[in-house]
Amino acid sequence: MASLQINKRLIMTPGPVAADPRVSQAMSNSILGQFDPEFTGIMDETMELIRKSFKTENKWSFPIDGTSRAGIEAVIASIVEPGDKVLVPIIGRFGYLVTELVERAGGVVHTIEAPMGEVIPEDDIIEKMDEVQPKVLAIIHGETSSGRLQPIQKIGHAAKERGIFTVVDAVATYMGQDIPVDEWALDAVIGGAQKCLSVPSGITPITFNERFSNEINKRKRVEKGIRTENDKSTSHFITSNYLDLTQLQDYWGERRLNHHTEATVNVYGLYEGLKLAVAEGVEARARRHSYHHEAMKEGIKALGLELFGDEEHEMQMVVCVKIPEGINDAEFRAELLSRFGIEIAGTFGAAAGKIWRIGTMGYVAEKQNLLNFITTFGVFLQSQNADNIDPAAGLKAMTDFYDNNSL
Amino acid sequence: MASLQINKRLIMTPGPVAADPRVSQAMSNSILGQFDPEFTGIMDETMELIRKSFKTENKWSFPIDGTSRAGIEAVIASIVEPGDKVLVPIIGRFGYLVTELVERAGGVVHTIEAPMGEVIPEDDIIEKMDEVQPKVLAIIHGETSSGRLQPIQKIGHAAKERGIFTVVDAVATYMGQDIPVDEWALDAVIGGAQKCLSVPSGITPITFNERFSNEINKRKRVEKGIRTENDKSTSHFITSNYLDLTQLQDYWGERRLNHHTEATVNVYGLYEGLKLAVAEGVEARARRHSYHHEAMKEGIKALGLELFGDEEHEMQMVVCVKIPEGINDAEFRAELLSRFGIEIAGTFGAAAGKIWRIGTMGYVAEKQNLLNFITTFGVFLQSQNADNIDPAAGLKAMTDFYDNNSL
């Protein structure tokens, strides 16, 4: 029986991207029992690494055993009770996802929207907070569907002054941009594994502070079968057991109360990926992402393509580019993938079919990958009769950038 | 920076157990995008392998990206609406877990219980069904907390005749005992990865039939941001988005509608583990589990230990044994682990501190492991002054079993 053998890809999307091979190596280690002291030691170290990654003192910094949206749902479902007002600023698809999660938790959604490609000024959000007076502000940091970086430096503080909880979906920017959680006064933040951290999808680091913890613990209910006489119960419990953050606190905290069977090798992968990222340094890693992002933009523009969206508020790991006239989105991408092993992404919503998203995330954000990409992408675009494409100019602009700028 | 290096263990618990190294190898393959045809091909093949593993024709046979309890919650949360009556037979902790999941979904729990170590006759459950007239019967096949195998051959048919949906938690028995889903008329069944299948925890195969699918699709709601005009919505939607089986059908089915970012390497692992298990054969694998289970029992009894529970209804991969007088449960297990790298399990609930559970699951269920185990376990027990322990007799009984019985 042949064993699984995957063909190589150059994944230039906003994720999932290639895993760092050192992460894959770590994931091939043998299984430990979930209460084996060697494993709980790794759990504790992973929590400390998550704290460092978010520059936070938050005790409660641990991963959810699920993909990014499991992390977002865990946070939303734990803080939002039926009838709670939640303000959701929307600049693309992932804002809608958050409204969906709020509604499923029984919350009442209020929105403030900007068209795809734009962001919402923080002062407008603060004004809207005053108008709506929500319990929670839930906001996307890097809206990958449009490649925009929503400013959030001020709103955490503004929300805190107003007694509002700030929840930030930082799945796409995590470990690619600096997210100083405590400095920005964010109450709960969700990171992502399979993007700038370059760890396989399936585990999601989150962090939340004491204020947030106190609030969700009003809903705490320890499950039957392991509940003791000392455990209070409540009728307004969190409706998920798997994603109940208060039970996960008992599992990741000192009590080590049995919950799910921890996803051992995903933890190994997260642990190793975070060790590598923290060793590189959060700021250094952010600089590396910006650096290659600029290189990509120079190359793309010189190819003859037009960028999409507000250039003042770009995620530093996704270039959004208008699809040239005469090129079919899906067909082009399918052929680029099947013929050259290179993957780029389309998008969702209003801009679907109109833009491509080219990612330079984590392990992929490296000079040789970008040079290989710009050449093949440019030549193939030209061969498909896109107008005014100049592959040589694209490559030259990129090499010029690398020659003239150092990391 | 040193890379992660885990010390070797012999995990003789009811899971998580060692992963098959061929599975670990498969998981070290490089990442593919989730809509890459090479990856969707693997997704389709994985579905087919899950069908074979459950001996079912169910179209809807796919994994949940989370640990076993995520799979159970996905099924319960999708079928149980607020106010729905659910009958839960309880013979141990995992029955309580199901009652918890039902309550969190808003369901009304009815139970029929037996003391730990016993099972409930199927006729009693059928009688209780007639009394309660529930919408759903949710039952544990292998109750690992007591090592008992609950008979379920008849109740699926009985439930179907009564218009009741049967949900089976087969996490612990999956791929270690035969579970012919269609033959037993089970509507939805949840398997487990990290036990007899020997795939790392973090992904959970499930299967459900058309009748179940039709019922849950009454609650279907496609999320905002990707919803089209043709997608109906409803006010009694499933409260989880991540574990909403109807959205997962659109993701794993022909529509390939974006949902979460599939846990790529967990799928690789599941795919490879299932290929290995199906190549071995479902019945052959069940025979292998019974065979080593018998060997373990012979060894344990000859050591001088007493078995726990109804021997007529044993899971064929867990031996439950009474902890000898004078031995402290937690201390003994901790020392067995730290000094010899061998892990066995205690339990939960009424039997906690009174029994050990010794597992022989999947890749671990192999002669050399059992021989190594019985020797070290016996000698160490004796050294801790347990009365009347005879390590030589334990080893002899086990080798005699292997000499006199072939697989």
Side-chain angles (χ1 to χ4, degrees):
Chain A
M1 198 189 79
S3 61
L4 184 65
Q5 199 178 351
I6 300 298
N7 286 300
K8 204 182 162 196
R9 295 284 189 266
L10 177 57
I11 307 184
M12 306 295 296
T13 70
V17 300
D20 190 312
R22 293 166 293 186
V23 167
S24 301
Q25 172 62 37
M27 293 177 75
S28 73
N29 269 289
S30 58
I31 301 294
L32 290 170
Q34 60 182 332
F35 296 111
D36 188 319
E38 189 167 338
F39 188 67
T40 52
I42 293 169
M43 289 171 74
D44 288 342
E45 284 185 61
T46 301
M47 291 176 79
E48 184 55 28
L49 288 163
I50 294 174
R51 284 182 203 109
K52 286 181 178 159
S53 74
F54 281 122
K55 294 184 172 174
T56 181
E57 300 291 321
N58 286 347
K59 174 178 179 179
W60 301 113
S61 303
F62 56 79
I64 302 295
D65 280 356
T67 72
S68 308
R69 88 165 43 200
I72 307 171
E73 181 167 323
V75 170
I76 296 284
S78 295
I79 191 72
V80 177
E81 292 189 53
D84 282 345
K85 283 191 283 188
V86 181
L87 176 60
V88 186
I90 297 177
I91 59 171
R93 182 208 164 175
F94 292 97
Y96 290 115
L97 172 60
V98 168
T99 68
E100 180 73 21
L101 297 174
V102 170
E103 288 183 5
R104 294 207 182 208
V108 178
V109 171
H110 294 260
T111 62
I112 172 170
E113 300 200 33
M116 277 188 86
E118 298 178 19
V119 300
I120 306 172
E122 287 193 273
D123 288 336
D124 291 4
I125 295 171
I126 294 168
E127 203 174 288
K128 191 78 182 178
M129 276 201 271
D130 283 330
E131 181 195 320
V132 173
Q133 301 193 319
K135 174 179 176 185
V136 178
L137 168 71
I139 191 164
I140 314 296
H141 187 219
E143 174 57 65
T144 30
S145 68
S146 68
R148 290 319 99 183
L149 186 75
Q150 172 64 48
I152 56 169
Q153 288 88 327
K154 283 165 61 179
I155 50 173
H157 291 283
K160 195 175 173 187
E161 283 166 19
R162 290 159 175 80
I164 297 167
F165 294 96
T166 306
V167 169
V168 177
D169 165 356
V171 168
T173 48
Y174 180 66
M175 291 293 91
Q177 297 199 199
D178 194 8
I179 306 164
V181 168
D182 294 356
E183 188 186 321
W184 290 355
L186 309 173
D187 296 301
V189 183
I190 303 101
Q194 75 282 3
K195 295 176 184 272
C196 301
L197 186 59
S198 293
V199 163
S201 173
I203 189 162
T204 301
I206 68 167
T207 187
F208 54 91
N209 60 23
E210 277 307 298
R211 190 166 88 97
F212 189 92
S213 174
N214 293 339
E215 184 67 19
I216 63 175
N217 273 279
K218 294 177 186 165
R219 307 177 70 189
K220 182 167 178 175
R221 164 176 162 125
V222 175
E223 74 189 42
K224 217 171 178 176
I226 52 174
R227 190 186 298 158
T228 68
E229 285 172 8
N230 296 326
D231 291 313
K232 294 170 299 189
S233 196
T234 161
S235 60
H236 62 133
F237 47 78
I238 295 161
T239 55
S240 176
N241 171 296
Y242 189 65
L243 301 175
D244 177 344
L245 293 182
T246 67
Q247 289 210 122
L248 289 167
Q249 287 178 299
D250 277 342
Y251 182 68
W252 282 86
E254 298 77 8
R255 194 172 171 188
R256 293 269 178 236
L257 192 61
N258 195 282
H259 186 249
H260 60 288
T261 298
E262 189 51 35
T264 323
V265 305
N266 296 85
V267 170
Y268 293 167
L270 180 62
Y271 168 80
E272 193 75 11
L274 283 168
K275 264 207 312 189
L276 292 164
V278 166
E280 179 177 0
V282 177
E283 288 93 350
R285 204 169 170 96
R287 272 198 306 279
R288 172 161 67 82
H289 278 86
S290 291
Y291 179 70
H292 294 292
H293 179 77
E294 287 305 315
M296 180 63 84
K297 279 172 64 182
E298 292 300 319
I300 290 288
K301 286 190 287 188
L303 273 185
L305 296 173
E306 199 181 335
L307 300 181
F308 167 83
D310 173 4
E311 272 202 71
E312 292 294 300
H313 296 100
E314 289 179 330
M315 292 170 65
Q316 299 296 297
M317 60 285 290
V318 191
V319 173
C320 290
V321 51
K322 294 181 187 167
I323 298 174
E325 287 290 322
I327 297 289
N328 177 285
D329 174 22
E331 282 171 21
F332 180 88
R333 286 189 290 117
E335 233 178 311
L336 187 66
L337 180 60
S338 65
R339 290 177 61 183
F340 305 102
I342 295 175
E343 191 179 21
I344 61 173
T347 195
F348 312 92
K354 296 177 190 158
I355 67 169
W356 285 322
R357 298 175 301 148
I358 299 166
T360 46
M361 288 180 159
Y363 190 71
V364 176
E366 180 264 338
K367 184 175 166 183
Q368 202 194 0
N369 284 336
L370 273 80
L371 295 175
N372 290 345
F373 170 76
I374 202 74
T375 312
T376 308
F377 178 65
V379 171
F380 183 55
L381 253 183
Q382 194 178 43
S383 78
Q384 300 300 297
N385 300 318
D387 283 344
N388 303 315
I389 297 295
D390 188 343
L395 182 60
K396 182 170 187 309
M398 197 181 263
T399 50
D400 282 352
F401 176 87
Y402 282 127
D403 289 344
N404 298 326
N405 298 276
S406 57
L407 228 185
Chain B
M1 197 188 79
S3 60
L4 184 65
Q5 199 177 350
I6 300 297
N7 286 300
K8 204 182 162 195
R9 294 284 189 267
L10 177 56
I11 308 183
M12 306 295 296
T13 70
V17 299
D20 190 311
R22 293 166 292 186
V23 167
S24 301
Q25 172 62 36
M27 292 177 75
S28 73
N29 268 290
S30 58
I31 301 294
L32 288 171
Q34 60 182 331
F35 295 111
D36 188 318
E38 189 166 338
F39 188 66
T40 53
I42 293 169
M43 289 170 74
D44 287 342
E45 283 185 60
T46 301
M47 291 175 79
E48 184 55 27
L49 287 162
I50 294 174
R51 284 182 203 110
K52 286 180 177 158
S53 73
F54 281 121
K55 294 184 172 174
T56 181
E57 301 291 320
N58 287 346
K59 173 178 179 179
W60 301 114
S61 303
F62 57 80
I64 302 295
D65 279 356
T67 72
S68 309
R69 91 166 39 201
I72 306 170
E73 180 166 323
V75 170
I76 296 285
S78 295
I79 191 72
V80 178
E81 293 190 52
D84 282 345
K85 284 192 283 188
V86 181
L87 176 61
V88 186
I90 297 177
I91 59 171
R93 182 204 165 178
F94 292 98
Y96 290 115
L97 172 60
V98 168
T99 68
E100 180 73 22
L101 297 175
V102 170
E103 289 184 4
R104 295 209 183 209
V108 178
V109 171
H110 294 259
T111 63
I112 171 170
E113 301 200 33
M116 277 188 86
E118 298 178 19
V119 300
I120 306 171
E122 288 192 273
D123 288 337
D124 292 4
I125 295 171
I126 293 167
E127 201 173 291
K128 191 79 182 176
M129 276 200 272
D130 283 331
E131 180 195 321
V132 172
Q133 302 194 318
K135 173 179 175 184
V136 178
L137 167 72
I139 191 164
I140 315 296
H141 187 219
E143 173 56 65
T144 29
S145 68
S146 68
R148 288 320 99 183
L149 187 74
Q150 171 64 47
I152 56 169
Q153 288 86 328
K154 284 165 58 180
I155 50 173
H157 292 282
K160 195 176 174 187
E161 283 165 19
R162 290 159 175 80
I164 296 166
F165 294 96
T166 306
V167 169
V168 177
D169 166 356
V171 168
T173 48
Y174 180 65
M175 291 293 92
Q177 297 199 200
D178 195 7
I179 306 163
V181 169
D182 293 356
E183 189 186 320
W184 290 355
L186 310 173
D187 296 300
V189 184
I190 303 101
Q194 74 281 4
K195 296 178 184 273
C196 302
L197 185 60
S198 293
V199 163
S201 172
I203 189 161
T204 302
I206 67 169
T207 186
F208 54 92
N209 61 22
E210 277 307 297
R211 191 166 88 97
F212 189 92
S213 174
N214 291 339
E215 184 67 18
I216 62 174
N217 273 279
K218 294 176 186 165
R219 306 178 72 191
K220 182 166 178 175
R221 165 177 160 126
V222 175
E223 73 190 42
K224 217 171 179 175
I226 53 174
R227 191 186 298 159
T228 67
E229 285 170 10
N230 297 326
D231 290 313
K232 294 170 300 190
S233 196
T234 162
S235 60
H236 63 132
F237 47 78
I238 295 161
T239 56
S240 175
N241 171 296
Y242 188 64
L243 301 175
D244 176 345
L245 293 182
T246 68
Q247 289 211 120
L248 289 167
Q249 287 178 299
D250 278 341
Y251 182 68
W252 282 87
E254 298 77 7
R255 192 171 172 189
R256 293 270 178 235
L257 192 62
N258 195 283
H259 186 249
H260 60 289
T261 298
E262 189 50 36
T264 323
V265 306
N266 296 87
V267 170
Y268 293 167
L270 180 62
Y271 167 81
E272 193 75 10
L274 284 169
K275 264 207 312 188
L276 292 164
V278 167
E280 180 177 358
V282 176
E283 288 92 352
R285 204 171 170 95
R287 272 198 306 278
R288 173 161 66 84
H289 278 86
S290 292
Y291 179 71
H292 294 292
H293 179 77
E294 287 306 316
M296 180 63 84
K297 279 172 64 181
E298 292 301 319
I300 290 288
K301 285 190 287 189
L303 273 185
L305 295 173
E306 198 182 335
L307 299 182
F308 167 83
D310 173 4
E311 272 202 71
E312 293 294 299
H313 296 99
E314 290 178 330
M315 292 171 65
Q316 299 297 298
M317 59 287 289
V318 191
V319 173
C320 290
V321 51
K322 294 180 186 165
I323 300 173
E325 287 291 319
I327 297 288
N328 177 286
D329 175 20
E331 282 171 20
F332 180 88
R333 286 189 290 117
E335 232 178 312
L336 188 66
L337 180 60
S338 66
R339 289 177 61 183
F340 305 102
I342 295 176
E343 190 179 21
I344 61 172
T347 196
F348 312 92
K354 296 176 190 159
I355 67 169
W356 285 321
R357 298 175 299 148
I358 300 167
T360 46
M361 289 181 159
Y363 191 70
V364 175
E366 180 264 339
K367 184 175 166 183
Q368 203 191 0
N369 285 336
L370 273 80
L371 294 174
N372 290 345
F373 170 76
I374 202 73
T375 313
T376 308
F377 178 66
V379 171
F380 183 56
L381 252 184
Q382 194 178 43
S383 77
Q384 300 301 295
N385 301 317
D387 283 343
N388 303 317
I389 297 295
D390 188 343
L395 181 62
K396 182 171 185 310
M398 197 181 264
T399 49
D400 281 353
F401 176 87
Y402 282 126
D403 289 344
N404 299 326
N405 297 277
S406 57
L407 227 186

